[in-house]
Amino acid sequence: MTAGLRLEVTAAPAPADRRAIGGGLAAHNRAAHGPRLPRRQRWILARDPGGTLLGGARCRLAQGWLYLDWLWVAEARRRQGTGQALLAAAEALAREAGCRGVHLHTWSFQAPGFYRRHGYAEAGRLEDMPPGATRHWFAKRF
């Protein structure tokens, strides 16, 4: 079945090859689920009254969900409600956009307990990613 198949590993495929792979995958996905839903990126910034950045979140809205890509709080502001405020703002953004919920990933050395306390259910995990830690995937459906 694979006679004559030649596999190539490259860090820099030709632009035409990238377009062919991306286009082929997009066509397959459209056939299965219809046209691609719009994607939008939004940032939520937390600042003190003087304008100093205290934390932030990068969110991507796509396929009817909000993906919470990054959530960071300055060390001095942790455990003071800043993360909770950012998470609540991300959830509000998702609801306003008509999303089904929020999904994200975090590592065991970051904040899995924080997300559990805020109603997120673990959807998956992978041990030793990176070695000695666990990667957790969480979701919260509205």
Side-chain angles (χ1 to χ4, degrees):
M1 226 196 249
T2 59
L5 179 67
R6 183 175 60 100
L7 299 177
E8 175 184 345
V9 176
T10 179
D17 293 337
R18 289 193 313 240
R19 284 191 302 274
I21 293 167
L25 182 58
H28 174 78
N29 292 346
R30 278 192 306 276
H33 293 285
R36 183 169 74 170
L37 298 170
R39 294 179 183 183
R40 298 173 305 220
Q41 181 171 284
R42 297 291 183 269
W43 291 81
I44 303 166
L45 307 175
R47 298 184 185 277
D48 70 10
T52 301
L53 186 66
L54 303 174
R58 183 174 82 173
C59 308
R60 288 184 279 163
L61 297 126
Q63 288 115 11
W65 285 78
L66 183 140
Y67 174 57
L68 184 57
D69 193 21
W70 296 344
L71 192 148
W72 168 79
V73 176
E75 188 74 35
R77 291 294 301 211
R78 294 185 184 160
R79 293 174 184 75
Q80 297 178 35
T82 304
Q84 182 176 339
L86 287 165
L87 187 59
E91 290 178 9
L93 177 63
R95 284 185 171 95
E96 289 167 17
C99 292
R100 291 176 184 87
V102 175
H103 69 103
L104 60 99
H105 82 269
T106 189
W107 282 279
S108 54
F109 56 85
Q110 289 180 327
F114 170 79
Y115 295 109
R116 284 186 188 101
R117 286 191 302 278
H118 290 91
Y120 285 74
E122 188 169 340
R125 71 170 53 197
L126 185 57
E127 304 291 335
D128 285 328
M129 184 187 182
T134 302
R135 187 172 188 177
H136 300 266
W137 284 267
F138 286 96
K140 182 176 185 178
R141 186 179 285 269
F142 301 140

